[in-house]
Amino acid sequence: MTTHTVPTRMQKAPSLAGPHEGYMPGFGNDYETEALPGALPQSANSPQKCNYGLYGEQLSGTAFTAPGHQNERTWCYRIRPSVKHSRHYQKIELPHWQSAPNVDLGVTSLGQYRWDPLPHAKDNLTWITGMRTMTTAGDVNTQIGMASHIYLLTSSMVDEYFFSADSELLVVPQEGILRFSTELGIIDLEPKEIAIIPRGLIYRVEILEGPARGFVCENYGQKFELPSRGPIGANCMANPRDFKAPVAAYEDREVPSTVTVKWCGQFHKTQIGQSPLDVVAWHGNYAPVKYDLRTYCPVGAILFDHPDPSIFTVLTASSSQPGTANIDFVLFRERWVVAEDTFRPPWYHKNIMSELMGNIYGQYDAKPQGFVPGGLSLHNMMLPHGPDRDAFENASNANLGPDKLNNTMSFMFETRFPQHLTKFAAAEAPLQDNYVDCWSGIEKKFDGTPGKK
């Protein structure tokens, strides 16, 4: 790993008291923050004249008439309105960043797939050019479904900015440390953390330590939210206080810059004469956040049987079908397993959801071999999967005392839609051709003997 020197050009709001300097706690909170005293209007969103000669502008993340508990918007007080950041757009090609629908008749997605980690690139790759799409699902134009990507970064964006009109991005680092300098503040992100970058928010990505590799879930549909805990109650799983939104920070720089926008699966760029990260103050509930996965408090069986993996849901994005998500983000981290007379790893199953898994570090209990950090697997809807032979034999014959699963952190992007492989995933990424052989050694044990186990 190489440490990169990134100049801090943004003027931050005064730091908050407490252990998380530069961040405000909470998920879906109505935040307010200013980088200059008096920049944030009080008692009005749109005064006739804003202090410091700023412009008031609203960024809406939902329809104006969305139900109150879902309505999201943020008021920004900026040096220039964002119409000054949008000029003549020129279409560009980014062939490795794909959007749904992306169904290639020459690529089959019917099967169980696993990939080794993508090797780090030798070329200069930024957040925009280093994105590699693995799967797509749904339709970006009708705002349903998702795409999964792996990013490979070797270079910081310099006077270059990006936003997606199509989607919010859930970022899961696996190696390297990134800085997201956004219109609403700065998020530094390292492995074992995640970030949510909202649809429409402009930002720049820089490398603090690299090269960097990680996973991205591009969500075309309803925004991610915390799952309903039901009988679990008010605590455990992901707690709102552990999410962190950045304090206001801004740049006032007159320098030629490029803004790239992703819109309906296409990419366009425009040239402007200044940094677009010029929001001096803001208030609202539509903002980027980061979350430390080590603060996730898992729950599980304390007597017998193995609950559904949905108990490990960190975030969910709903669909039109109640209880069936557009996307679930699920985390499998260190935890105690204590269930008696129980096959403890995930059981054999097939279901209507499509499961794409990534390994952040360590060993996953259902696949002790072959699923390595940085690797990825896909089990599409209604295709059977489960433990390999060794995992089955070990779990079936283990001494079932209390056991601590250590050194393990994997995740799942789960969706109600089939995930279609891209050409890159099928032909260029390091696909393990013999993955399905992990089940070939499973033996027939049935012989008709009553009471046999």
Side-chain angles (χ1 to χ4, degrees):
M1 285 288 176
T2 301
T3 300
H4 295 243
T5 301
V6 176
T8 301
R9 300 183 297 212
M10 300 186 78
Q11 303 299 310
K12 274 190 177 184
S15 298
L16 298 176
H20 302 286
E21 183 175 344
Y23 297 95
M24 301 175 287
F27 187 86
N29 285 16
D30 215 309
Y31 307 99
E32 62 176 46
T33 174
E34 57 185 14
L36 293 176
L40 187 67
Q42 299 298 315
S43 73
N45 291 325
S46 185
Q48 186 177 22
K49 289 187 177 181
C50 297
N51 206 359
Y52 296 99
L54 299 173
Y55 291 85
E57 177 176 297
Q58 184 175 228
L59 174 61
S60 294
T62 57
F64 295 140
T65 52
H69 69 283
Q70 295 178 339
N71 205 303
E72 294 194 349
R73 62 88 180 96
T74 287
W75 276 94
C76 304
Y77 303 92
R78 58 193 320 152
I79 297 171
R80 296 175 183 83
S82 59
V83 291
K84 296 287 288 185
H85 307 150
S86 176
R87 292 181 58 79
H88 303 292
Y89 284 103
Q90 175 188 355
K91 186 178 178 183
I92 61 174
E93 297 297 330
L94 294 173
H96 285 106
W97 192 334
Q98 300 288 313
S99 295
N102 183 69
V103 182
D104 191 299
L105 297 179
V107 174
T108 178
S109 302
L110 178 63
Q112 300 96 338
Y113 300 95
R114 188 164 68 189
W115 293 266
D116 289 324
L118 266 61
H120 287 293
K122 297 179 181 178
D123 302 331
N124 289 329
L125 295 179
T126 67
W127 181 255
I128 298 175
T129 59
M131 203 69 70
R132 300 290 182 264
T133 306
M134 300 296 289
T135 67
T136 65
D139 189 339
V140 70
N141 295 287
T142 56
Q143 298 185 0
I144 57 172
M146 51 84 74
S148 66
H149 316 280
I150 294 176
Y151 65 80
L152 302 170
L153 269 67
T154 58
S155 297
S156 296
M157 299 167 70
V158 178
D159 300 324
E160 184 181 11
Y161 305 88
F162 175 79
F163 77 92
S164 174
D166 289 342
S167 52
E168 67 175 345
L169 300 183
L170 172 62
V171 184
V172 186
Q174 192 265 322
E175 287 187 347
I177 301 175
L178 302 179
R179 169 167 290 169
F180 289 81
S181 296
T182 82
E183 292 178 281
L184 302 185
I186 298 172
I187 287 179
D188 290 343
L189 194 67
E190 63 184 42
K192 305 176 190 177
E193 296 179 324
I194 60 171
I196 300 175
I197 308 298
R199 184 193 309 253
L201 187 73
I202 298 177
Y203 60 94
R204 177 182 66 232
V205 181
E206 297 147 316
I207 301 180
L208 300 184
E209 185 177 291
R213 178 175 60 206
F215 310 92
V216 174
C217 181
E218 185 176 2
N219 175 20
Y220 305 145
Q222 295 294 313
K223 288 182 78 280
F224 279 112
E225 60 186 2
L226 295 176
S228 174
R229 293 188 179 99
I232 295 172
N235 304 293
C236 295
M237 303 174 74
N239 291 305
R241 65 175 298 202
D242 294 320
F243 289 81
K244 311 298 177 188
V247 298
Y250 72 96
E251 293 179 346
D252 183 11
R253 300 177 56 245
E254 310 280 341
V255 59
S257 302
T258 300
V259 178
T260 300
V261 56
K262 182 177 187 289
W263 190 87
C264 292
Q266 299 179 345
F267 294 86
H268 299 77
K269 69 177 181 180
T270 185
Q271 304 295 327
I272 61 175
Q274 67 282 330
S275 168
L277 308 183
D278 62 358
V279 177
V280 179
W282 61 272
H283 78 87
N285 61 353
Y286 189 66
V289 292
K290 77 169 185 174
Y291 174 74
D292 190 333
L293 296 172
R294 291 162 291 193
T295 65
Y296 183 82
C297 181
V299 295
I302 57 173
L303 188 58
F304 64 89
D305 271 354
H306 188 297
D308 295 327
S310 49
I311 61 167
F312 299 134
T313 300
V314 182
L315 294 163
T316 186
S318 63
S319 75
S320 58
Q321 183 174 346
T324 307
N326 185 67
I327 307 168
D328 283 330
F329 174 62
V330 183
L331 180 70
F332 306 99
R333 63 155 302 182
E334 293 88 353
R335 60 197 182 275
W336 282 96
V337 287
V338 298
E340 301 173 356
D341 192 19
T342 295
F343 183 79
R344 290 177 174 178
W347 12 253
Y348 297 102
H349 70 292
K350 58 182 180 180
N351 59 47
I352 67 166
M353 305 294 279
S354 297
E355 303 174 359
L356 184 135
M357 286 194 62
N359 190 342
I360 300 173
Y361 68 81
Q363 178 177 294
Y364 179 58
D365 59 334
K367 297 286 192 302
Q369 303 295 327
F371 186 43
V372 298
L376 203 66
S377 69
L378 173 65
H379 302 117
N380 249 324
M381 63 175 205
M382 285 303 172
L383 294 180
H385 52 284
D388 59 27
R389 180 187 181 280
D390 290 344
F392 177 83
E393 293 297 334
N394 291 337
S396 298
N397 297 290
N399 180 3
L400 293 185
D403 184 32
K404 178 73 177 292
L405 295 180
N406 286 310
N407 189 37
T408 183
M409 185 176 283
S410 299
F411 68 88
M412 183 161 62
F413 299 151
E414 186 178 62
T415 176
R416 62 182 289 245
F417 299 101
Q419 298 191 45
H420 293 278
L421 301 187
T422 61
K423 284 186 177 180
F424 175 83
E428 297 181 52
L431 183 65
Q432 296 180 8
D433 294 330
N434 62 346
Y435 172 47
V436 293
D437 294 340
C438 74
W439 296 294
S440 61
I442 296 176
E443 302 162 338
K444 175 184 176 182
K445 298 179 180 291
F446 175 78
D447 65 2
T449 305
K452 181 179 178 180
K453 291 187 177 181

